[in-house]
Amino acid sequence: MKRAVAAATMLALFGSASAGETVRVLSGEHDDFTRIVLIFQAPVTWSESRDRDGFAIRFDRSDISPDLSRIFDRIPRDRISEVSFNRSTATLRLESDCNCLITVFKAGKNTIAIDVKSNPDPSASDLRLPLDQPGTALPAIASPEPTIPTVPAQSLQKIQALQDSLVLQLGRAASQGLIEIDPVPGPPRSLEELAGLASPATRFDPDAWVHLRSHTVIDSALPGLSNAAVLAASPACPDPYYLDASNWAGSDDTSLSIAMARSGVVDALDRPDPAGIEALAKAYLRFGFGAEAEAVIREFPGAVAHPDILTAVAQIMDKGQADDATPLVRIADCDGPYALWAVLAQGDRAAAFDRDTDALQQWFFRLPPDLRGHLGPILARRLHASGDVNVARSVRDATARTLGAPTADLVVLDAQTGMTRTSPAIEQAELESILSTAGVETGPALVELLRRRTAAGTTTEDLVVLAESLAFEGGASDLSVDLLEQAVPGRAQIGDLKGALADFMALDQILPESPRTDRILSAIFLNGAKTEDDIGLLVATEWLVRNRRVEHLSQDAAAAASERLLALDLPDEADRLLAPFRDTDAVDIRQLRARAAMMKGDPAMTLSLLAGEADPESRELRAEALLRLGSYEKATELFESVDRLKPAARAAWLSADAEAIARLGSDGERGFMAWRENKNGTAAGTASAAIDLGGSPDNAGPRTGIDTDPGSSIETGTPVPLGGFDSQRPSLAAGRTLLARSSDLRIVIATLLSETGVSGD
């Protein structure tokens, strides 16, 4: 019997123990709060509240039993005087007579933390809620209606004058058709009535103030644009010191400042602290760590007040400009350093930005020295490119004073802008010395050095290869684009047009079609036309035509390449490059097209292209076209006007113009014409009509005489002199004379036969 009772008792005890869960309880004391942690074995939910005796946390489980035996081992009894648990209601009570606040939150898996914190405002009322009422919600605070101040009576006259002036200007604009005015229905209100509407007790109604509405031409073109939309798009200015870099760190020691900032990322409750997160991001920015600052902003979304602004600044630190400059440009006119950061954010686009240069310089000089040294060359380059040369020089000089000795980025800046009076030879030597250091400025220095070498025509293959290597290592970065931009014309200049085209095709994958790519493409043909890589020029021309990029070629590049193609007797290819410029009035383009037309057998097109042009080259081309068309007299006149006497003599001979032949022809031609005129004017057998056949065998023009068979004249058989030829003593010079004059004789015979109607066959 005793055994049965004992067994039953033990079963009841074990059953009771297994039915409940003992909850582990930890406690700890902090400067301004006391923490209690409850570790459950299964999920639990709760609600907290406060009554006049302290706090109560009610759980949704009645099978729990917190172990409170050692709860006061580590905490005093000032904030919490007693802790108890009512299992029947599953309520944990914390007795407290202090004006404290309670926070209950989940601190891990099945773990609840309870913080009893001293009220930071001791004067605040000690609000104690009933036990069953949740204590976490606060009543909503209604926003007051916007009001405007009362208008003083003495100001009404000034407002009336301002209103009259505004109406006058609106009337002038309406009379010029710039705006349309729509009067508001109903009688206009007086200023006194409007002043009454502005009393603080009256809800502000914007429509009550409207007398008339105006619509500009822009409003008509953009009907969806309203005043409300414009005002909504207008950004509010941040605090003037929000981007004041001098306040971004507590110390100039990098490690110490960042360590201090990192310790404030979470508050005493181990929750992310927005102020601490922003302080850490700014500490990273203070020392130029843009990527780290951007990572902090991205890791804690919503914690930073202006994440888009700080992200743009972070990108400036690493890239020299922001991916999206809009957040800074929109507030560039605000008080503070925003004009400075807006210029830096825009990159090369800063040329279109109207900024306050006085404020810009003021805030730049307030930057910490290391940031001045880092951002100074970038800012000076931006300002110089946009035309603010004096401001750029001021920034550059301040940066140089900050850095002390010249640095690589300052050397590159000076070489790019010429703001210092250094000889080109010294600048080039300094750029070359930067290349040997393999530092961060190697790329920019190489870009500037290649640009100078290409402009001077002294590019070397090793520089081009180095630029290509750095570009392909950098991927699609801005520096890679700059390097390839200089490598393309450089490779074309050393006579490798196929390689230049390959580099351009790689660049074409990074950059969209733009004036910049057009300029790079044109550089291939401008430089390639000066080399002997004719096959490369043909390949590049074919690629241009096949990819429909001919119209992207500059006029100068098309002209240079066409000139080379015409020299290679390729008029069709030249015409393809000139096709986009058919409507241009440039004489050099029309001359090239005229030459191509002549080579393709279309002299009429040549004449139409160069009609009325008086320059020597155009006149000569027109003369050649007229010669082909049979207008010999006009051709003679044009050739003679540009001092082209040899083709002028040929045209004169073909025209059979005696005066022109007498003026321009050879001795033989003039003699023949004299004989012909004498033959037509006297008896056929007159011996005095014999032709004077003398002349020098070394004449540069047509041969100067007609020799017949030795011993007889043309018509009488009378012996005539043979122009220095002695049949008894032959010589090489005399033989040359006979051979040269025999060609003239054939011309004369052919002419005589054509006059008599006898075939020369």
Side-chain angles (χ1 to χ4, degrees):
M1 183 67 178
K2 292 182 179 180
R3 290 180 181 179
V5 172
T9 303
M10 293 180 64
L11 181 62
L13 290 173
F14 283 119
S16 175
S18 63
E21 174 190 330
T22 301
V23 179
R24 184 184 179 191
V25 179
L26 305 176
S27 61
E29 184 69 13
H30 298 264
D31 291 340
D32 58 348
F33 70 94
T34 301
R35 172 168 294 176
I36 298 174
V37 178
L38 291 83
I39 304 174
F40 297 84
Q41 297 178 11
V44 64
T45 60
W46 73 92
S47 63
E48 70 269 18
S49 61
R50 179 170 186 173
D51 58 21
R52 299 191 179 277
D53 295 326
F55 306 96
I57 299 94
R58 175 175 290 178
F59 299 99
D60 65 340
R61 293 171 52 191
S62 60
D63 61 336
I64 56 176
S65 178
D67 181 5
L68 306 177
S69 60
R70 304 185 63 181
I71 192 169
F72 287 105
D73 288 356
R74 295 181 178 274
I75 62 174
R77 295 178 181 267
D78 52 355
R79 297 188 185 94
I80 302 173
S81 59
E82 193 61 53
V83 180
S84 62
F85 181 73
N86 186 337
R87 185 166 183 175
S88 62
T89 60
T91 301
L92 180 71
R93 291 191 54 80
L94 309 178
E95 295 183 11
S96 174
D97 57 0
C98 76
N99 185 12
C100 294
L101 306 175
I102 186 172
T103 303
V104 184
F105 58 94
K106 187 175 181 180
K109 183 178 180 180
N110 301 331
T111 302
I112 303 300
I114 304 169
D115 287 346
V116 178
K117 186 176 183 180
S118 301
N119 194 332
D121 185 6
S123 63
S125 61
D126 186 7
L127 179 63
R128 297 175 184 253
L129 302 177
L131 179 62
D132 294 333
Q133 181 175 350
T136 55
L138 294 176
I141 300 175
S143 300
E145 292 289 349
T147 59
I148 60 175
T150 304
V151 180
Q154 60 269 26
S155 300
L156 292 179
Q157 293 181 349
K158 296 181 180 180
I159 297 175
Q160 183 67 58
L162 178 63
Q163 177 179 295
D164 293 343
S165 176
L166 177 61
V167 171
L168 176 62
Q169 298 302 324
L170 287 172
R172 290 177 178 174
S175 65
Q176 298 174 15
L178 299 177
I179 64 171
E180 295 180 2
I181 297 179
D182 298 329
V184 175
R189 302 195 184 195
S190 65
L191 289 175
E192 289 77 6
E193 291 178 300
L194 296 176
L197 289 172
S199 63
T202 305
R203 185 182 186 276
F204 178 52
D205 181 9
D207 291 334
W209 291 72
V210 176
H211 283 285
L212 53 85
R213 291 186 174 90
S214 62
H215 303 275
T216 68
V217 291
I218 297 177
D219 296 325
S220 301
L222 301 172
L225 187 63
S226 63
N227 290 337
V230 173
L231 292 175
S234 301
C237 288
D239 184 275
Y241 296 95
Y242 184 71
L243 290 187
D244 182 4
S246 62
N247 297 326
W248 284 353
S251 169
D252 289 336
D253 184 284
T254 306
S255 301
L256 177 60
S257 294
I258 293 178
M260 292 173 58
R262 287 176 64 88
S263 66
V265 170
V266 295
D267 60 13
L269 306 180
D270 292 335
R271 294 173 299 187
D273 183 3
I277 293 168
E278 184 170 298
L280 176 60
K282 288 184 174 180
Y284 278 128
L285 293 176
R286 161 64 182 82
F287 298 103
F289 299 122
E292 290 78 2
E294 194 170 359
V296 170
I297 298 168
R298 188 170 53 249
E299 184 69 21
F300 298 95
V304 177
H306 303 283
D308 52 348
I309 294 176
L310 286 188
T311 298
V313 174
Q315 292 167 352
I316 291 170
M317 294 297 180
D318 284 351
K319 304 176 184 178
Q321 65 184 63
D323 294 339
D324 181 12
T326 305
L328 286 168
V329 173
R330 293 176 69 231
I331 59 174
D333 293 332
C334 295
D335 292 338
Y338 302 110
L340 166 66
W341 293 110
V343 172
L344 289 168
Q346 284 186 296
D348 294 338
R349 298 161 292 178
F353 172 53
D354 185 16
R355 58 253 175 189
D356 183 352
T357 54
D358 291 337
L360 185 150
Q361 292 181 82
Q362 173 190 349
W363 285 99
F364 173 74
F365 297 144
R366 290 182 58 169
L367 289 175
D370 51 335
L371 282 185
R372 281 205 306 272
H374 175 55
L375 299 174
I378 302 173
L379 180 61
R381 186 177 293 108
R382 298 273 192 278
L383 294 169
H384 188 275
S386 60
D388 290 322
V389 178
N390 291 332
V391 181
R393 184 174 287 109
S394 174
V395 170
R396 184 262 171 212
D397 293 344
T399 305
R401 289 192 298 271
T402 300
L403 296 174
T407 58
D409 50 358
L410 272 183
V411 170
V412 174
L413 171 67
D414 293 340
Q416 291 174 335
T417 61
M419 284 192 287
T420 56
R421 297 180 179 179
T422 306
S423 69
I426 295 177
E427 288 180 344
Q428 184 162 313
E430 290 176 340
L431 291 172
E432 291 173 350
S433 67
I434 294 175
L435 297 187
S436 62
T437 63
V440 294
E441 289 299 323
T442 298
L446 181 56
V447 170
E448 178 61 23
L449 187 60
L450 255 180
R451 185 191 66 79
R452 293 185 171 212
R453 288 285 192 89
T454 303
T458 59
T459 304
T460 58
E461 187 172 6
D462 57 338
L463 286 179
V464 175
V465 170
L466 178 59
E468 291 170 338
S469 301
L470 292 178
F472 289 118
E473 285 178 6
S477 66
D478 291 340
L479 179 59
S480 296
V481 172
D482 293 340
L483 287 165
L484 279 180
E485 184 176 6
Q486 300 304 325
V488 168
R491 188 156 287 284
Q493 191 175 91
I494 62 177
D496 182 9
L497 267 69
K498 291 182 181 179
L501 184 60
D503 284 349
F504 176 79
M505 293 169 67
L507 188 62
D508 207 31
Q509 300 297 318
I510 303 174
L511 293 177
E513 290 185 8
S514 64
R516 186 179 186 183
T517 56
D518 294 348
R519 187 168 58 250
I520 300 170
L521 182 62
S522 298
I524 297 177
F525 289 83
L526 277 171
N527 289 277
K530 303 172 185 177
T531 68
E532 297 181 355
D533 187 9
D534 298 332
I535 295 178
L537 180 59
L538 288 173
V539 170
T541 301
E542 183 62 27
W543 180 90
L544 205 66
V545 173
R546 187 172 62 251
N547 289 275
R548 299 181 180 179
R549 301 287 286 270
V550 176
E551 63 274 8
H552 294 269
L553 211 59
S554 70
Q555 184 171 306
D556 291 342
S562 298
E563 183 87 34
R564 181 67 180 173
L565 291 169
L566 290 175
L568 297 173
D569 198 18
L570 297 170
D572 291 327
E573 286 72 12
D575 233 4
R576 290 180 182 178
L577 297 185
L578 297 171
F581 309 102
R582 286 176 178 169
D583 296 331
T584 185
D585 197 43
V587 176
D588 58 337
I589 297 296
R590 287 188 284 123
Q591 287 173 347
L592 290 169
R593 292 182 58 205
R595 286 173 55 188
M598 286 288 292
M599 295 175 71
K600 292 192 290 185
D602 191 358
M605 175 61 73
T606 299
L607 291 176
S608 66
L609 287 168
L610 300 178
E613 296 298 335
D615 62 283
E617 186 175 350
S618 296
R619 292 173 73 89
E620 184 175 354
L621 285 169
R622 283 161 51 203
E624 291 178 2
L626 290 169
L627 186 63
R628 291 196 185 185
L629 292 172
S631 298
Y632 302 129
E633 292 182 359
K634 293 182 180 179
T636 303
E637 179 183 349
L638 286 174
F639 277 130
E640 192 175 6
S641 69
V642 294
D643 204 26
R644 295 283 290 154
L645 300 182
K646 193 170 183 178
R650 177 168 171 258
W653 176 257
L654 293 174
S655 70
D657 184 345
E659 291 185 7
I661 294 174
R663 187 172 65 254
L664 300 169
S666 64
D667 291 342
E669 292 168 345
R670 290 196 300 271
F672 172 75
M673 293 304 295
W675 168 82
R676 181 179 177 185
E677 290 176 3
N678 187 52
K679 176 176 177 292
N680 293 335
T682 61
T686 305
S688 61
I691 303 172
D692 178 13
L693 299 176
S696 170
D698 297 324
N699 258 343
R703 297 299 97 195
T704 57
I706 304 175
D707 280 341
T708 61
D709 188 56
S712 65
S713 72
I714 292 177
E715 297 205 0
T716 63
T718 306
V720 295
L722 295 178
F725 177 74
D726 187 349
S727 60
Q728 302 301 321
R729 291 183 299 172
S731 65
L732 180 59
R736 287 176 177 171
T737 300
L738 284 176
L739 290 173
R741 292 182 179 178
S742 65
S743 63
D744 288 343
L745 181 60
R746 285 194 297 272
I747 295 174
V748 174
I749 293 173
T751 304
L752 290 173
L753 292 174
S754 64
E755 289 180 351
T756 58
V758 180
S759 174
D761 295 336

